[in-house]
């Protein structure tokens, strides 16, 4: 794998623990970085003060480099009030039917202000900043480079990979259709950019002159080697780390990963308003008839928050978002440092077996 990427990032293994806004914790990120991979902290849902606080917690646990990740969004959002009212009625009726006593609320703001989050990231000055959902601006890129921060963009098509390369990003992470969590797509309708990693990766490697990182459905060292053979400079694994004790995923989520039928892992818009891969469940089924009237991200995400919180507290995995990639059943619940070791042993063994 590209030693220049590893050297530049100061990491030992070609392994990136994917940012996972929500279930990622400082302990998970620090454990992976400390074990020689690159831990990433998805801070997309956090207010600036929490970004500063969580980053300090990571730094208290390790002096190794780590990545901070943000959702690139506008600073403000206009909601269609009649769509909001309609979906609130649907959600309130569902909560009543499911015996949850909370009801939806109209939040003071739909999401944290991106430019404030970006300022917090600059203040933290992590070794790596990664971004998803859109491009950052050339000015923002310059601000990061001025602070010597390595910039990784997320792409779900060759056109998006090119856009990041033309902007001047240091590397691009291609997210295959297999990937768990939100689709990073920004130049296309999400359903038009559901490209499998084995197709997207070699296409992107040929299209851009910067290191390409592979993400989507990679759960073991053999998968990491396969990505390397197709030109990846490193592999980014999310779901593989979800069942680690350091992950903040709820117990029901961790349990459901191991038994998830592959055909039940689908693309879901009804939790957040943005396409994301996860387990279809009782909630997604109940919301199916209302697909056409769902408000976009982050409006719907904010409106479903009380339901997700209450259902989570009640241990109702069938009503919350359980994001995961298509190969989720290959998950191995073990401490993150141990998982890094296992992955790298598998990677080395596969290399020995298959590469002369
Ligand atoms: C629970 C979960 C949350 C995620 N959150 C983020 C995020 O905050 N930022 C991001 O860039 N990618 C996020 N992703 C996507 C990952 O970066 C990556 O594309 C994906 O995990 C790769 O597929 P895999 O889960 O099959 O390994 C998330 C993935 C999961 C499973």
């Amino acid at each position: 794998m590209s030693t220049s990427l590893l050297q530049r990032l100061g990491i030992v293994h070609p392994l990136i623990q994917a940012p996972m806004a929500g279930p990622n914790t400082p302990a998970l990120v620090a454990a992976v970085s400390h074990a020689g991979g690159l831990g990433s902290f998805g801070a997309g849902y956090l207010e600036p003060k929490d970004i500063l606080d969580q980053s300090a917690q990571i730094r208290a646990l390790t002096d190794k480099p780590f990545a901070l990740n943000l959702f690139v969004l506008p600073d403000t959002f206009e909601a269609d009030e009649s769509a909001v009212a309609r979906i609130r009625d649907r959600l309130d009726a569902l909560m009543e039917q499911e015996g949850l006593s909370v009801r939806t609320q109209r939040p003071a703001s739909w999401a944290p202000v991106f430019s404030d989050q970006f300022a917090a990231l600059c203040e933290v000055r992590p070794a790596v900043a990664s971004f998803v959902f859109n491009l950052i601006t050339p000015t923002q890129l310059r601000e990061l480079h001025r602070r010597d921060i390595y910039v990784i963009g997320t792409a779900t098509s060759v056109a998006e990979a090119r856009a990041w390369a033309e902007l001047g990003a240091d590397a691009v992470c291609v997210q295959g259709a297999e990937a768990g969590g939100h689709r990073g797509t920004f130049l296309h309708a999400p359903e038009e950019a559901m490209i499998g990693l084995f197709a997207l990766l070699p296409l992107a490697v040929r299209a851009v002159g910067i290191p390409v990182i592979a993400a989507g459905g990679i759960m073991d060292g053999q998968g990491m080697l396969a990505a390397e053979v197709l030109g990846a400079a490193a592999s980014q694994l999310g779901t593989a780390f979800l069942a680690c004790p350091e992950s903040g995923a709820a117990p029901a989520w961790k349990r459901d990963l191991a038994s998830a039928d592959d055909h039940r892992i689908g693309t879901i818009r009804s939790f957040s308003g943005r396409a994301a891969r996860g387990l279809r469940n009782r909630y997604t089924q109940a919301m199916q008839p209302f697909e056409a009237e769902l408000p976009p991200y982050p409006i719907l995400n904010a409106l479903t928050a009380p339901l997700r919180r209450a259902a989570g507290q009640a241990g109702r995995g069938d009503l919350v978002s359980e994001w995961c990639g298509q190969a989720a059943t290959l998950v191995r619940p073990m401490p993150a440092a141990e998982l890094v070791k296992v992955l790298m042993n598998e990677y080395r063994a596969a290399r020995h077996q298959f590469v002369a």
Side-chain angles (χ1 to χ4, degrees):
M1 295 217 171
S2 158
T3 43
S4 71
L5 175 81
L6 303 194
Q7 273 167 358
R8 175 66 176 74
L9 297 184
I11 59 172
V12 183
H13 306 310
L15 169 63
I16 300 174
Q17 164 256 314
M20 293 189 282
N24 59 199
T25 62
L28 177 67
V29 174
V32 174
S33 286
H34 205 70
L38 181 73
S40 314
F41 189 79
Y45 298 130
L46 298 186
E47 293 296 338
K49 64 175 177 7
D50 298 317
I51 295 177
L52 299 178
D53 175 58
Q54 305 272 302
S55 302
Q57 288 188 40
I58 297 170
R59 286 215 165 105
L61 294 168
T62 184
D63 58 358
K64 298 282 187 272
F66 67 92
L68 267 188
N69 171 274
L70 291 178
F71 301 152
V72 184
L73 294 167
D75 278 351
T76 55
F77 301 89
E78 282 297 324
D80 172 344
E81 292 302 337
S82 62
V84 167
R86 252 196 326 268
I87 206 70
R88 286 187 65 179
D89 287 346
R90 306 278 189 215
L91 292 168
D92 287 342
L94 181 64
M95 288 192 277
E96 174 146 30
Q97 188 189 313
E98 295 295 335
L100 300 172
S101 55
V102 290
R103 294 295 174 261
T104 56
Q105 288 157 11
R106 203 184 188 300
S109 70
W110 294 112
V113 177
F114 175 72
S115 55
D116 295 343
Q117 291 179 311
F118 185 85
L121 181 148
C122 287
E123 191 178 329
V124 171
R125 205 173 159 191
V128 180
S130 65
F131 297 94
V132 67
F133 292 0
N134 212 337
L135 299 172
I136 53 174
T137 65
T139 310
Q140 287 166 335
L141 184 84
R142 273 195 301 277
E143 275 185 58
L144 296 168
H145 280 165
R146 198 157 49 79
R147 292 173 170 80
D148 204 26
I149 298 172
Y150 190 91
V151 178
I152 304 176
T154 305
T156 63
S157 71
V158 170
E160 292 178 353
R162 271 208 192 95
W164 273 108
E166 279 161 18
L167 178 72
D170 299 293
V172 64
C173 175
V174 292
Q175 185 190 41
E178 304 89 335
H182 282 104
R183 303 294 303 149
T185 311
F186 58 92
L187 289 180
H188 327 275
E191 62 277 12
E192 287 168 2
M194 294 300 282
I195 306 160
L197 185 62
F198 262 42
L200 180 56
L201 176 57
L203 287 170
V205 168
R206 276 162 189 73
V208 301
I210 54 175
V212 178
I213 296 157
I218 303 175
M219 300 294 287
D220 49 33
Q222 291 89 333
M224 291 172 59
L225 181 72
E228 178 179 336
V229 170
L230 292 178
S235 291
Q236 178 162 307
L237 283 63
T239 304
F241 286 96
L242 268 179
C244 294
E246 297 92 339
S247 143
W253 187 354
K254 290 183 179 179
R255 226 181 14 250
D256 290 345
L257 289 175
S259 59
D261 291 324
D262 48 5
H263 63 270
R264 266 189 59 212
I265 301 171
T267 313
I268 297 160
R269 214 166 62 84
S270 51
F271 280 114
S272 71
R274 194 179 168 99
R277 186 172 294 289
L279 276 171
R280 282 194 283 260
N281 58 15
R282 188 175 171 86
Y283 171 86
T284 63
Q285 218 166 1
M287 296 303 283
Q288 187 91 38
F290 315 123
E291 273 288 314
E293 55 188 67
L294 298 175
Y297 187 93
I299 316 284
L300 184 59
N301 194 59
L303 292 173
T304 61
L307 182 152
R308 288 182 284 119
R309 217 170 11 247
Q313 278 159 6
R316 293 286 305 271
D318 57 345
L319 294 175
V320 299
S321 47
E322 292 185 336
W323 305 136
C324 61
Q326 285 178 327
T329 42
L330 297 178
V331 79
R332 290 170 288 195
M334 60 175 80
E338 205 176 310
L339 182 57
V340 171
K341 227 183 262 172
V342 168
L343 288 164
M344 291 317 299
N345 283 340
E346 289 170 346
Y347 166 80
R348 279 187 287 264
R351 218 186 145 84
H352 184 71
Q353 187 179 357
F354 296 113
V355 183

